[in-house]
Amino acid sequence: MPTRPRSTLMAAFWLLTAIFPAAAQTIALPNEAQIGPRPFYLVDKMKDGPLKQQLSQCTGPFHRTGFSVGHRGAALQFPEHSRESYMAAARMGAGVIECDVTFTKDRQLVCRHSQCDLHTTTNILSVPALAAKCSQGFSPADPATGKKASAKCCTSDITLAEFKSLTAKMDGFNPDARTAEEYQNGTPRWRTDLYANSGTLMTHDESIALIKSLGAKFTPELKAAEVPMPFDGDYTQEKYATQMLQAYKTSGIPASDVFAQSFSLADILFWVKTAPEFAAQAVYLEDRYEKRGLDPAKPETWKPSMTELKAQGVKILGPPIYAMLALNAKGEIVPSEYAKAAKAAGLDLIGWSLERDGPLNKGGGFYHSSVKSAIDRDGDTLTVLDVLAKQVGVRAMFSDWPATTTFYASCMGMK
């Protein structure tokens, strides 16, 4: 399918970044987005019908949109939370980009999905001096006993300078590894290591500067500490939560450009009390599905209730895709009772995470678990997205490949 040629401004930007890569940090991308072939591949794989016909006729222009949120950047192909991943997300039109925030041994904030994921997302096990500092060193698999390979390396094990000396890689590990090198070679087959040889790790401050320069907004997630808090004597959860927001104030970022997130309701309520300007669009990430058996069809499992969350000051709820979807008697994908109750209570919804299940030919995984029987092809990604946008009414969608959400939003005339 033909796409629009690059504008003169976009062509000039690509040339400049190719010759002077550092200059990209001081230049905002044009509003025009480069979406590549994947959205069109997904359209081709859709079931025949009005939605496929409408999307197949959409050739642009494609533009940056706040509906498209870069989940850890563009993690389908680039190492998550790397500079390269953030740049890819912005180029694909993500109007909001995520930095999951955690802290180092010297209490400096960095972008990692988990405080203790360095053994699966970086090359730390290949750096003996730093591997020796890991909470749990590499332990090989033992086929004779069935023991799987393991390791545990945390940002809090090392200093900021040591963190910055590492290289990002695609998240993954080989549980049958006999060596540390084999352990780090575990990228899922439906992702790629093509761009993963030199991923640049980001501090939180660096992510703010980069995302600001790209003209996008921010959605930092305060990650749960995996070490006892207070850390190192007096570093409390409250200091940690305050430090994250202070970085945006120091950088001159208006609160209206920041969607602070946490899976802890206590963090959200702390911001309601101490930083109401940020709390106005803070996102309470739904954690009850994991801890308290949330069932999207049973209101008695939603504690606190939707109205109670709203009364406490929560404005935006961030559930996984499956919690917002159900199947009707005809087997069609429709909004869940959970989604309808959230909207009725006046809560905005931001969903996570599109294109994280991998190929959908077998119904997908966790994210599509409530509608698994209606999913049998990659093109169903767009069918699901259409229900979330038009029937559920989500405010935005996280995606591991933001070009898909950018494409959909542009084709539907969304901002």
Side-chain angles (χ1 to χ4, degrees), residues 265-398:
L265 181 57
D267 289 337
I268 303 297
L269 299 183
F270 175 72
W271 290 329
V272 168
K273 182 187 299 185
T274 63
E277 69 279 19
F278 286 93
Q281 55 185 29
V283 183
Y284 170 40
L285 296 169
E286 180 62 81
D287 69 334
R288 295 169 292 181
Y289 72 92
E290 186 174 36
K291 297 178 180 178
R292 282 166 273 177
L294 180 143
D295 184 331
K298 297 179 179 179
E300 63 271 19
T301 67
W302 318 336
K303 301 296 182 183
S305 70
M306 301 300 183
T307 53
E308 288 170 338
L309 287 176
K310 181 70 173 181
Q312 291 179 76
V314 175
K315 307 288 187 183
I316 306 174
L317 185 60
I321 290 171
Y322 92 87
M324 296 184 284
L325 300 177
L327 297 176
N328 64 15
K330 297 180 180 179
E332 299 166 329
I333 301 173
V334 296
S336 67
E337 293 304 311
Y338 170 100
K340 290 187 283 189
K343 296 297 287 186
L347 294 168
D348 282 351
L349 293 171
I350 295 179
W352 49 273
S353 295
L354 209 68
E355 298 179 276
R356 192 152 185 86
D357 274 347
L360 298 186
N361 60 304
K362 296 182 180 180
F366 166 78
Y367 298 96
H368 295 85
S369 55
S370 62
V371 294
K372 184 178 178 68
S373 62
I375 303 294
D376 65 5
R377 64 194 69 197
D378 284 349
D380 287 329
T381 294
L382 290 169
T383 304
V384 165
L385 182 58
D386 189 62
V387 174
L388 290 168
K390 292 181 180 176
Q391 298 184 47
V392 174
V394 295
R395 174 175 179 158
M397 277 300 302
F398 281 91

Side-chain angles (χ1 to χ4, degrees), residues 89-380:
R91 286 167 171 153
M92 286 188 276
V96 185
I97 298 175
E98 180 186 45
C99 167
D100 289 329
V101 179
T102 188
F103 56 86
T104 61
K105 185 176 183 179
D106 47 352
R107 307 185 190 184
Q108 300 302 301
L109 302 183
V110 296
C111 299
R112 286 290 88 200
H113 177 64
S114 166
Q115 186 172 47
C116 296
D117 71 4
L118 296 182
H119 52 290
T120 66
T121 65
T122 76
N123 67 332
I124 191 169
L125 294 179
S126 297
V127 184
L130 297 184
K133 298 184 177 185
C134 290
S135 295
Q136 175 192 325
F138 171 71
S139 177
D142 185 351
T145 64
K147 174 180 171 292
K148 297 299 184 181
S150 63
K152 183 180 180 181
C153 302
C154 308
T155 56
S156 51
D157 292 334
I158 58 177
T159 66
L160 178 63
E162 291 168 333
F163 173 84
K164 286 291 292 177
S165 72
L166 297 174
T167 298
K169 74 175 191 70
M170 294 298 284
D171 186 17
F173 68 98
N174 177 2
D176 299 316
R178 303 300 299 274
T179 66
E181 182 179 8
E182 290 179 353
Y183 183 81
Q184 294 178 107
N185 185 20
T187 301
R189 292 182 63 186
W190 44 271
R191 292 192 176 130
T192 177
D193 285 323
L194 187 62
Y195 308 107
N197 292 326
S198 58
T200 307
L201 293 177
M202 301 289 289
T203 68
H204 182 222
D205 285 344
E206 287 171 340
S207 79
I208 293 174
L210 177 60
I211 294 168
K212 178 181 179 181
S213 78
L214 296 171
K217 295 184 179 182
F218 312 81
T219 184
E221 180 190 332
L222 191 74
K223 301 304 298 187
E226 297 187 41
V227 293
M229 298 292 275
F231 174 72
D232 193 26
D234 64 347
Y235 190 58
T236 64
Q237 183 69 23
E238 291 75 17
K239 287 183 178 180
Y240 174 34
T242 300
Q243 182 184 5
M244 186 182 86
L245 295 188
Q246 183 58 47
Y248 294 91
K249 298 177 184 178
T250 300
S251 297
I253 306 297
S256 58
D257 284 352
V258 182
F259 296 83
Q261 312 169 70
S262 178
F263 276 100
S264 168
L265 181 57
D267 289 337
I268 303 297
L269 299 183
F270 175 72
W271 290 329
V272 168
K273 182 187 299 185
T274 63
E277 69 279 19
F278 286 93
Q281 55 185 29
V283 183
Y284 170 40
L285 296 169
E286 180 62 81
D287 69 334
R288 295 169 292 181
Y289 72 92
E290 186 174 36
K291 297 178 180 178
R292 282 166 273 177
L294 180 143
D295 184 331
K298 297 179 179 179
E300 63 271 19
T301 67
W302 318 336
K303 301 296 182 183
S305 70
M306 301 300 183
T307 53
E308 288 170 338
L309 287 176
K310 181 70 173 181
Q312 291 179 76
V314 175
K315 307 288 187 183
I316 306 174
L317 185 60
I321 290 171
Y322 92 87
M324 296 184 284
L325 300 177
L327 297 176
N328 64 15
K330 297 180 180 179
E332 299 166 329
I333 301 173
V334 296
S336 67
E337 293 304 311
Y338 170 100
K340 290 187 283 189
K343 296 297 287 186
L347 294 168
D348 282 351
L349 293 171
I350 295 179
W352 49 273
S353 295
L354 209 68
E355 298 179 276
R356 192 152 185 86
D357 274 347
L360 298 186
N361 60 304
K362 296 182 180 180
F366 166 78
Y367 298 96
H368 295 85
S369 55
S370 62
V371 294
K372 184 178 178 68
S373 62
I375 303 294
D376 65 5
R377 64 194 69 197
D378 284 349
D380 287 329

